[in-house]
Amino acid sequence: MDFELIIVGGGPAGLCAGIYAVRRGIKTLIIEKGVVGGQILLAPEIGNYPGFPSVSGTDLAKSMEDHAKGVGVEFELGEVLRIEVGGGIKKVTTSNRTYECNALIISTGAIHRPLNVAGEKDFLGKGVSYCATCDGPLFKGKKVAVIGGGNHACEDAAYLADIAEKVFLIHRRDSFRAEECRLEHAKNKGVEFITDTVVEEFEGDVLLEKIRLKNVKSGGESELSVNGVFVSIGVVPLYALAEQIGVSVDERGYILVDENQITNVGGVYACGDVTGGVLQVATAIGEGCVAALSVYEYIRKPYWRKVD
Ligand SMILES: Cc1cc2nc3c(=O)[nH]c(=O)nc-3n(C[C@H](O)[C@H](O)[C@H](O)COP(=O)(O)OP(=O)(O)OC[C@H]3O[C@@H](n4cnc5c(N)ncnc54)[C@H](O)[C@@H]3O)c2cc1C
């Protein structure tokens, strides 16, 4: 056996699980296909993680990575392409090699949800973006719109207001999921809110020039000239690997787990955004902790769970 535990995904959930597992003496490997840290690397500022009143996502990710490495978590940078389970052994195949392990934690997180409207794919990288932190600086002094009504949309709009000449926040309802303080922050930064409105089409020649809008209450159509649009309407879980081995997911693709982060497949656990819920760093961390302690029981103390 190469490792007792392999964790797929090095975001906050996977990193926390790794720290807890190694501190319980479990030989652990985290496999990460991108950059260790996960989605928080895209967060310009995190202000709701206890102990860090205001921290950049990259700084928080680096602290977590250093912490994990410091306690002895091992890392491989590569994409997990296939998982096989059988006979108590899990085989994990990456772009580099195949590993065997006793237990598996899936913490693959989530990625942006597309709007799925005409022109969105055509203008990807030519005005359409899903990451304000990554692409925002390209729109210095220009007009941009952010689509969405949650925390991330407000955060993106407030961040872009420091770069762009004008920022619109377009939301399909007139009420928002975002926290009041984030809405207030965006408003104070001069973001203009356009509510009850959906985007119907992205238009332009080579680069994005305008979007066609529809008011969902009046049915009225209009055009808005913008150079950039940041789609920030939530995420979809990365559950394909879990499905390969028969792990149950709900109708939206979130992995189903019990209160101990245990899936329906023996020795396979899941935590963080891939299991749904409120999709926050704090919950990813909490679930990572629980998953690792469940793995500890599974590997070292299986009799704890035996019922007479
Ligand atoms: C712009 C933005 C701002 C945010 N702001 C906040 C905030 O202020 N406060 C807050 O609490 N939360 C915030 N969040 C949400 C927070 O980042 C997530 O809830 C958290 O990162 C979830 O952690 P996770 O480990 O479950 O998943 P992720 O962070 O998504 O990490 C999963 C990791 O798995 C890797 N992976 C996926 N598939 C594979 C594979 N096949 N092989 C190997 N690796 C794989 C991915 O590359 C990724 O690094 C923000 C998110 C974004 C995008």
Side-chain angles (χ1 to χ4, degrees):
M1 208 67 74
D2 300 299
F3 287 90
E4 289 180 285
L5 168 64
I6 290 182
I7 299 171
V8 186
L15 289 166
C16 180
I19 291 166
Y20 270 80
V22 164
R23 284 169 56 89
R24 286 276 171 140
I26 293 174
K27 187 171 161 56
T28 302
L29 174 72
I30 292 181
I31 304 175
E32 168 55 52
K33 73 172 176 180
V35 180
V36 173
Q39 289 173 70
I40 51 170
L41 292 167
L42 305 176
E45 191 206 347
I46 294 185
N48 55 7
Y49 188 62
F52 296 84
S54 173
V55 61
S56 77
T58 37
D59 286 351
L60 186 59
K62 182 77 173 70
S63 306
M64 290 183 191
E65 180 183 1
D66 289 347
H67 188 169
K69 284 185 172 157
V71 296
V73 178
E74 294 180 54
F75 283 84
E76 181 194 316
L77 291 182
E79 180 171 7
V80 174
L81 302 171
R82 198 172 64 249
I83 303 175
E84 295 154 85
V85 292
I89 298 172
K90 282 93 194 154
K91 285 189 184 166
V92 179
T93 301
T94 73
S95 22
N96 305 320
R97 57 166 284 191
T98 296
Y99 295 96
E100 287 189 353
C101 62
N102 305 95
L104 197 66
I105 293 180
I106 300 175
S107 50
T108 41
I111 52 161
H112 64 81
R113 182 185 296 281
L115 269 180
N116 287 328
V117 303
E120 184 178 6
K121 284 189 186 143
D122 302 332
F123 290 106
L124 184 61
K126 297 172 187 163
V128 174
S129 169
Y130 301 89
C131 178
T133 319
C134 323
D135 300 330
L138 303 173
F139 295 88
K140 193 168 165 48
K142 302 204 165 154
K143 282 188 187 163
V144 299
V146 175
I147 317 295
N151 283 339
H152 295 171
C154 282
E155 208 174 278
D156 285 350
Y159 167 71
L160 289 164
D162 288 335
I163 300 168
E165 180 211 322
K166 175 77 191 166
V167 180
F168 301 93
L169 181 70
I170 301 172
H171 182 40
R172 62 190 163 146
R173 300 199 184 91
D174 63 357
S175 59
F176 289 80
R177 268 182 297 113
E179 294 163 357
E180 282 68 19
C181 59
R182 303 211 196 208
L183 286 165
E184 214 46 48
H185 185 51
K187 276 182 193 154
N188 291 340
K189 290 259 186 175
V191 172
E192 185 175 330
F193 286 48
I194 302 176
T195 53
D196 292 321
T197 298
V198 292
V199 177
E200 295 221 297
E201 192 169 353
F202 294 87
E203 293 177 355
D205 189 5
V206 179
L207 300 176
L208 179 72
E209 289 166 15
K210 60 187 175 190
I211 45 179
R212 297 200 65 76
L213 303 177
K214 184 177 179 182
N215 185 294
V216 291
K217 286 194 173 148
S218 68
E221 298 197 352
S222 59
E223 276 183 11
L224 184 68
S225 295
V226 282
N227 309 101
V229 169
F230 292 84
V231 179
S232 189
I233 56 165
V235 294
V236 282
L238 293 173
Y239 63 94
L241 288 171
E243 257 198 338
Q244 273 179 12
I245 50 169
V247 168
S248 299
V249 299
D250 72 11
E251 67 289 349
R252 290 175 302 164
Y254 289 111
I255 295 179
L256 294 170
V257 286
D258 70 6
E259 69 277 15
N260 295 306
Q261 305 302 132
I262 297 172
T263 73
N264 60 311
V265 175
V268 178
Y269 304 78
C271 53
D273 280 12
V274 76
T275 64
V278 295
L279 311 177
Q280 291 287 286
V281 179
T283 45
I285 293 290
E287 291 175 12
C289 157
V290 174
L293 296 180
S294 293
V295 167
Y296 172 74
E297 279 187 31
Y298 174 75
I299 292 177
R300 298 271 196 276
K301 313 276 180 194
Y303 52 87
W304 280 2
R305 281 196 189 278
K306 277 211 177 118
V307 182
D308 290 333

